[in-house]
Structures are given as C-alpha cells and as structure tokens.
Amino acid sequence: MTTTRRRRFDQIRDRAQISDLVDPLRAQFAAWGATPSEAFQLTLVLDEILTNIVDYGYPDGPVGSVSLRLALRRGVLAAEVIDDGAAFNPLDRPPPDLDDNVETRRIGGLGVHFLTTMTDRRRYRRVDGRNRLRMLRRLGQTDDDA
Amino acid sequence: MTIDEERQGSALILTLTGKLDGATCPPLEQRFTELLAGDVAKLVIGLAQLDYISSAGLRVLLVAAKKMKSKGGSVALYALQPQIFDVFKISGFGAIFPIHPDRAAALA
C-alpha cells in the first residue's frame, strides 16, 4: 500500500510566522515516522531555508510568494520550498567556516551547511522566475535514545 | 523563550527555556548587550529547557562569546538536550564553547 500524505503552507512572510509554522512540524514529522533527531533536523533545515528567503530574497520590497510543500511517500519525506524572490541556489554556496576558535570564527553559512548535512538528497531549479528547492530524507533511520 | 538569571559571585547563570530562533532571539541578544556592559566575568548558560535552536540563535551565542572573550571573560554552556548537542557538533560550535553536563561543572 502506498499512500502519499501532504501538507502545504502558503503566504509565508516573516520570521515570526516561520517560527509559528515550523514549531508544529516536529510533531508532524514524528507522526510521519521520523525519529526525534530527524524531526528536529528537518524542522531546522526548513526554518533556515525559509528564514533565508524572507531575510534576503526580497531586498527591494515586501516578501512575495513563499510556500512550503511536504509529502510523505514510502517512508521518504519530500519537502519543497518555492519562492519568487531573487535567484539563489543554496547548493552552489562554498562550505561554511567551521573554525573552532571563538575569536576568529566567522558567522554565517550554517543554514546551508545544515541543509547539506541533514538531508539525503537536494535539488535546486530556477523555473519561471521562482526558486524551487526540493529535498528528501528517509525517515526512521537514526537510532535515537531520546 | 524565557530567560532566568541568577548571580553567583562574578558569574551570571542564565537559564533559557523554549525556542531560540530567528523570531525569539532578539530579547536574548539585547540582554547580552546589557550584561556585557556590566561587570560579569563569567556567563554560564543552562539549556536543559531549551528544546530548539536555529542558526539565528547560534549566532547570538557566538557574538556574546566573542565579546566576553575580548573583555577577558568566558561563556560556558551546560545540560544541552541531545538534538541541540548534535546541532552544536555539526556546526562546529561544540568546539567553540565549553559544554558541561551540569551547572556545578560549568561553574567550576
């Protein structure tokens, strides 16, 4: 039996709204079979991507159309973030500074680092003036003791 | 997120409860700015009740640690939840901050 379950969120506009949106995602992912670690990490990745879009995707005006689509199929979570902001391919970014010295460590790049380390597969496309970032992660794989 | 404070000598113990993300980090950033202008030499931050952190929250902690370091002080963390500890490891923050199992160890 293969059922696909979906959730969709539209009109994402600011950090407060992102905070409210991603908060219940942890429980949603857990209900879909994610371990506590996977639920946390997937929530974090989506938070980072959405926050980046509202912070930097619309430098010349109000935040436009930003949406998140989630689907669960055969134990794999597919998440797609779609926005009509400035073209930005997070998969093209250089790796972040992971310097362990507090004085010299630079700030930034962590959101993309979380995206690449906390998802199994990622794909970016720019289509019809929109960024479409799709990521996959198989659920129920980590061995949590939480 | 709520911030509880307790003074012990020249150390200040902050206990954070809730979520530290892009929407909730400004009050903590503001409090750090006030504290760093004062005479606190050691900042000890308890995270047992913190159940979420994003890079926005990590940034606020890093900025505070940099400022404390530049004035000769220190920042220590204790009692991180497992998922938050993982985020610290993946981001390299586990090597930037002293991380202790409990308050007594963090204050020692």
Side-chain angles (χ1 to χ4, degrees):
Chain A
M1 183 185 73
T2 302
T3 55
T4 302
R5 283 181 279 183
R6 298 177 188 281
R7 292 288 306 272
R8 182 178 170 144
F9 305 88
D10 294 306
Q11 305 287 314
I12 300 161
R13 300 212 173 276
D14 57 32
R15 284 183 167 210
Q17 204 179 358
I18 292 167
S19 187
D20 292 343
L21 183 156
V22 300
D23 204 29
L25 288 185
R26 262 169 102 172
Q28 173 76 78
F29 294 146
W32 282 356
T35 63
S37 168
E38 291 163 350
F40 183 104
Q41 293 190 358
L42 287 163
T43 300
L44 175 61
V45 167
L46 295 174
D47 182 353
E48 299 290 348
I49 292 165
L50 293 170
T51 299
N52 198 58
I53 291 168
V54 304
D55 282 359
Y56 302 111
Y58 301 89
D60 304 319
V63 172
S65 167
V66 183
S67 64
L68 165 65
R69 297 174 190 178
L70 303 173
L72 177 73
R73 191 158 189 272
R74 297 178 193 267
V76 175
L77 178 84
E80 188 168 33
V81 177
I82 304 166
D83 72 88
D84 62 357
F88 176 71
N89 179 357
L91 309 181
D92 267 354
R93 310 305 299 167
D97 171 25
L98 295 179
D99 181 1
D100 63 2
N101 183 306
V102 64
E103 289 161 288
T104 54
R105 170 71 184 253
R106 289 197 306 275
I107 294 164
L110 280 180
V112 171
H113 181 58
F114 295 151
L115 168 66
T116 53
T117 54
M118 296 177 179
T119 57
D120 297 330
R121 295 178 65 184
R122 302 150 291 280
R123 184 189 67 195
Y124 169 83
R125 291 184 300 164
R126 179 81 180 176
V127 184
D128 298 333
R130 291 172 191 269
N131 299 302
R132 300 181 74 108
L133 178 64
R134 181 177 158 86
M135 61 221 94
L136 302 177
R137 182 156 176 182
R138 179 166 290 282
L139 303 182
Q141 301 298 300
T142 63
D143 185 19
D144 291 14
D145 54 7
Chain B
M1 190 199 52
T2 60
I3 310 167
D4 289 305
E5 300 186 16
E6 185 185 327
R7 188 83 190 227
Q8 268 194 29
S10 63
L12 187 80
I13 302 155
L14 296 185
T15 306
L16 308 184
T17 302
K19 313 180 356 171
L20 188 53
D21 63 11
T24 59
C25 67
L28 182 65
E29 190 164 26
Q30 173 64 30
R31 190 67 193 120
F32 279 150
T33 301
E34 293 160 7
L35 291 169
L36 287 157
D39 63 347
V40 173
K42 181 165 184 156
L43 207 49
V44 175
I45 306 174
L47 302 180
Q49 306 302 321
L50 188 77
D51 46 39
Y52 183 76
I53 192 165
S54 71
S55 66
L58 291 171
R59 186 190 68 81
V60 171
L61 293 177
L62 180 61
V63 168
K66 283 177 179 288
K67 288 178 180 166
M68 279 298 277
K69 183 89 180 179
S70 71
K71 61 178 254 181
S74 65
V75 177
L77 310 176
Y78 69 91
L80 278 64
Q81 294 185 14
Q83 284 98 42
I84 291 191
F85 187 62
D86 282 345
V87 171
F88 272 72
K89 280 191 289 190
I90 292 168
S91 59
F93 273 52
I96 292 178
F97 290 91
I99 296 178
H100 302 281
D102 54 38
R103 175 188 290 209
L107 281 168

